[in-house]
Amino acid sequence: MEQRKELKYFYIGDSYGGNQQWFKSFMMRLGGCGAQTACDACIYFAKNFGMKKLCPFADENLSREQYVAFSEVMRPYLRPRMGGINTLSVFIAGFERYIKDRRGTITMRALAGEQPYAETSETIKLQIDKGFPIPCLILKHVDPDMSDFVWHWFMLAGYDESGHRTLRVKTVTYGRYKWVDLAKLWDTGCEPKGGLVLFDVA
């Protein structure tokens, strides 16, 4: 078993994945993280699993303008709303409608934020080992070091357990990545909790 694994993610210029700060409307820039995470997932599956119908713009040289155009396609399915897309079920319902409309073969299930760290870390490793990115939702958090992830959807795209007591995960958001201690990220110390969305391919 590998101790470290990173998915083959994608760049848009020098941006690692997409960036909701590019979006056209103020509300999408403010609360479009769910749509952005879904867009990134579609581009990832188009590039790495050959699912081109999930994203009409997922060519080898995807531009910022194409990404923003794609976000407008995704917006009706995962539109910003009061309180944001603040549950796993709302994200899954919206994204499943998009996948169904594109006749995709991706299925999803939720892993709630109340799941123990040990089981969560093993699940993350299994998903990454399969080549699947993992949408993650964090709501409130007591640790100020986790402020970038508060009330926010982002992607997990790798793990590293070599030389560490706990698992580190590669988080992707706002066009950059950062390695974060999963135990600290997962133990929010607050209610309500978010969780993970786990992909599979039918």
Side-chain angles (χ1 to χ4, degrees):
M1 180 68 71
E2 292 186 56
Q3 290 187 307
R4 178 185 175 109
K5 183 160 186 176
E6 297 179 64
L7 299 181
K8 186 181 178 183
Y9 218 66
F10 61 93
Y11 280 90
I12 302 172
D14 59 0
S15 175
Y16 197 77
N19 190 331
Q20 77 187 74
Q21 294 174 334
W22 300 339
F23 292 163
K24 292 181 177 180
S25 73
F26 170 77
M27 285 304 298
M28 279 290 279
R29 291 192 296 273
L30 179 67
C33 53
Q36 187 236 304
T37 302
C39 286
D40 274 26
C42 288
I43 294 166
Y44 177 88
F45 278 104
K47 286 181 172 294
N48 294 287
F49 284 77
M51 299 183 184
K52 304 298 184 184
K53 57 192 172 185
L54 294 184
C55 178
F57 308 109
D59 57 27
E60 289 303 312
N61 298 303
L62 182 70
S63 69
R64 172 172 168 167
E65 290 73 22
Q66 287 174 317
Y67 188 89
V68 172
F70 185 35
S71 76
E72 290 296 300
V73 175
M74 188 63 71
R75 179 164 66 163
Y77 298 89
L78 290 165
R79 60 177 177 78
R81 63 202 73 194
M82 188 67 68
I85 299 173
N86 59 355
T87 67
L88 303 176
S89 60
V90 169
F91 179 90
I92 290 173
F95 199 15
E96 280 184 337
R97 283 194 299 111
Y98 177 83
I99 297 295
K100 181 179 180 182
D101 286 351
R102 298 305 183 278
R103 299 183 180 178
T105 57
I106 296 172
T107 61
M108 295 169 234
R109 61 187 174 91
L111 187 147
E114 292 80 9
Q115 188 86 355
Y117 162 79
E119 295 174 31
T120 301
S121 62
E122 289 304 312
T123 300
I124 287 172
K125 289 191 290 183
L126 286 171
Q127 289 294 108
I128 297 294
D129 286 343
K130 292 177 185 176
F132 299 149
I134 306 169
C136 181
L137 171 65
I138 297 293
L139 296 172
K140 300 176 182 179
H141 208 296
V142 296
D143 188 344
D145 289 342
M146 299 297 159
S147 60
D148 287 347
F149 305 109
V150 168
W151 220 265
H152 192 51
W153 282 96
F154 54 97
M155 199 76 85
L156 304 182
Y159 69 82
D160 182 11
E161 58 184 348
S162 54
H164 304 284
R165 294 176 61 186
T166 56
L167 193 71
R168 295 168 73 236
V169 289
K170 186 178 185 179
T171 64
V172 182
T173 188
Y174 292 114
R176 61 185 186 272
Y177 66 85
K178 180 179 180 181
W179 287 95
V180 175
D181 185 315
L182 177 64
K184 292 181 180 179
L185 180 69
W186 196 247
D187 183 14
T188 65
C190 298
E191 298 289 341
K193 296 184 182 296
L196 307 177
V197 173
L198 307 178
F199 293 131
D200 204 352
V201 177

